[in-house]
Each structure stands twice: as C-alpha cells, then as structure tokens.
Amino acid sequence: MSINNAWYLRCGPDDVGESAVLVGDRGRVHLAAELMKDAVILNEDRGLTTATGFFDGERITVSAFGMGAPIATVVLHELAGLGVRRFVRLGTVMTLGETRLGEFVIAHGAVRGESTSASYLPIEFPAVPDFALTRELEAAVQAAELPTRSGIYASYDGFYTEMFETGLGAEPVSQRYERLAKAGVVAADMETSALFVAARALGVAAGSLCLASVAGDTNEKMQHAERVAAEAQLLRAGFAALASAMAPAHV
Ligand SMILES: O=P(O)(O)O[C@H]1O[C@H](CO)[C@@H](O)[C@H]1O
Ligand SMILES: O=c1cc[nH]c(=O)[nH]1
C-alpha cells in the first residue's frame, strides 16, 4: 500500500526518510530532534509527534505512538506506506529474569502476547526482527560501550492486567514473569511483537532496542535523571545503527 498523504501522521512521502525510529513517549521525539541536524517537526496531531532530521548524513524520521500495539502498528503502517523501509523501536522495557535496570536490551524475537499482530498474520507466525538490522543495533550498543543484553521479549496489551499486579488478570503477574523468565525471556513491553509481525506482513525491516527502566519483579524504576541520560544514549545508538544500515556498503 503506497500512500500520498498519511491519514493520521498528516505528512507525505517527501517528508520522511528511508529509515524511522518509533518511540512511545512523544517527549523522546523532541529529544531526538535535538540530537539530529536540521530536524523539522511534521506533526503533533493526536500526540503522534513526528520529526525528520539527519544523523551522520542520513535522513531519519522519528514518530511517537503513545502506548500499545494498535496505535504503534498504525504509525508503522502509515510510514511504510509513505516509503520508509527500515524501523527501529527505541523505547523502555520491564526487566525479566537476569536483566538489570539500565541495560540496553536488543530483541531477538518476541512472545506475541498482544492481539494486534494476529490482525496482520496468524499466531503461528514468529515475531522476529530483521537480522541485519539487529546486528547493526548490537554493534552500535557495543561501540558506545553500553551495558547490553540480547534475547526474547514478551509484549502484552494489558498493562494493569498482564504486566503490573492489580489482582485483575487471568493469572498473577509474578507467575507469568517467572514462567517467561524460565523460558529465557529477558524483557516485557507492549509493542515489539506487533511491530515485528506487521513489518514482516508489510515487507519492511524492523528491530527493537530498549532501555530496561522498570524491574518486573519489584516495580523499582530507574531514577529520573539517570533515565533521561540513558534515553539520549539509546537514541544515539539507534540512530548510529540506522545510519550504518543505510551506508552504501549495506544498501
Ligand atoms: O518507553 P516506551 O516506548 O513508551 O514503551 C514502553 O512504555 C510504555 C509503558 O510504560 C509502553 O508503551 C511500553 O512499551
Ligand atoms: O513499566 C514499564 C516500563 C517499560 N515498558 C513497559 O511496558 N512497562
């Protein structure tokens, strides 16, 4: 599906780069705009703040989706229709198992615990990232000497029923997290599996690199100042990976 004017993002093919970053918090788009050169804010409608700028000479678009798989895939779908070929989710995750707060976690796949991905491809289809892009993310994080971990994520729709204990979910959150950790799952978020499956259905590449900012077992959070500084490192590493993926040797 190619489009001339995106319904919700309200921009056209000439406004976007070949690569895009997807973030939840729209404040991260403004931070990204400060880290890029000649960044232009294209849209603020519905909080889907979107900017295009340059990093290491490569044109990159950064879009915020807020929270959750349904709207995250709308944003990916519209950008893919406008011509974006490569996507990196740069967000935050909850820790599972051995993962520690402050680590930069790269997804090698994701448990499809959300419902949106099944509207793109049946549940038998694996939620896996683009492997070349994932290698670029791992190289960028290593080059920046950041604490890192790679592994499988789990993505869910119900924050207060599946990720944070309120007594309302079908099973206790601690039990779900223990079961996942035992199977080697390293992080939980709300969008990665849907983005991987939708990207495969749309024929574009996607990867996910997230900062572990909340402990899944205790709900301890990273301190604000430390998290803000780490989010800037997250954006720089993601941009570097995309710029490297776009460099002539790779395209
Ligand atoms: O840090 P961002 O990108 O907002 O992502 C994470 O934060 C939100 C939940 O706190 C969810 O959207 C989750 O996936
Ligand atoms: O609490 C959190 C933190 C990051 N990502 C989530 O999905 N939940």
Side-chain angles (χ1 to χ4, degrees), residues 1-242:
M1 179 189 82
S2 112
I3 46 180
N4 286 322
N5 195 18
W7 189 305
Y8 292 110
L9 294 182
R10 297 180 176 221
C11 54
D14 293 344
D15 296 320
V16 300
E18 252 188 41
S19 294
V21 165
L22 301 177
V23 300
D25 180 1
R26 66 198 172 110
R28 225 174 283 140
V29 179
H30 291 286
L31 174 59
E34 285 171 25
L35 300 176
M36 292 193 288
K37 203 161 175 269
D38 301 329
V40 178
I41 301 283
L42 303 170
N43 176 56
E44 298 263 15
D45 201 45
R46 286 180 185 262
L48 303 177
T49 305
T50 296
T52 293
F54 291 85
F55 189 89
D56 281 353
E58 304 293 349
R59 198 160 177 242
I60 296 175
T61 295
V62 184
S63 283
F65 53 78
M67 276 173 67
I71 185 64
T73 56
V74 167
V75 171
L76 175 133
H77 204 130
E78 288 197 355
L79 289 172
L82 293 173
V84 175
R85 303 271 56 98
R86 247 168 260 105
F87 292 84
V88 172
R89 162 159 165 69
L90 298 177
T92 59
V93 285
M94 272 186 176
T95 65
L96 289 189
E98 300 296 308
T99 305
R100 294 289 158 256
L101 288 183
E103 287 183 350
F104 291 77
V105 189
I106 294 150
H108 278 184
V111 174
R112 294 175 61 181
E114 41 64 43
S115 303
T116 306
S117 61
S119 71
Y120 281 91
L121 287 169
I123 197 70
E124 296 80 13
F125 193 89
V128 284
D130 178 83
F131 291 111
L133 195 47
T134 300
R135 277 195 295 276
E136 296 288 358
L137 288 170
E138 289 176 333
V141 168
Q142 276 158 21
E145 298 184 349
L146 300 171
T148 186
R149 182 180 300 271
S150 296
I152 297 170
Y153 283 25
S155 306
Y156 292 100
D157 288 330
F159 184 76
Y160 286 118
T161 49
E162 297 173 298
M163 304 180 72
F164 183 93
E165 194 59 78
T166 58
L168 283 175
E171 88 176 301
V173 172
S174 56
Q175 205 168 296
R176 163 179 290 108
Y177 283 175
E178 266 169 40
R179 182 166 47 79
L180 292 167
K182 219 180 251 179
V185 176
V186 296
D189 79 342
M190 302 179 74
E191 300 87 9
T192 291
S193 63
L195 293 171
F196 285 175
V197 173
R200 293 275 166 179
L202 295 167
V204 294
S208 185
L209 163 66
C210 294
L211 172 69
S213 67
V214 178
D217 51 0
T218 61
N219 293 142
E220 179 193 349
K221 293 179 180 166
M222 280 179 80
Q223 295 298 311
H224 179 74
E226 196 192 348
R227 185 171 59 82
V228 171
E231 285 189 6
Q233 292 174 314
L234 176 78
L235 288 169
R236 279 198 204 92
F239 286 161
L242 283 171

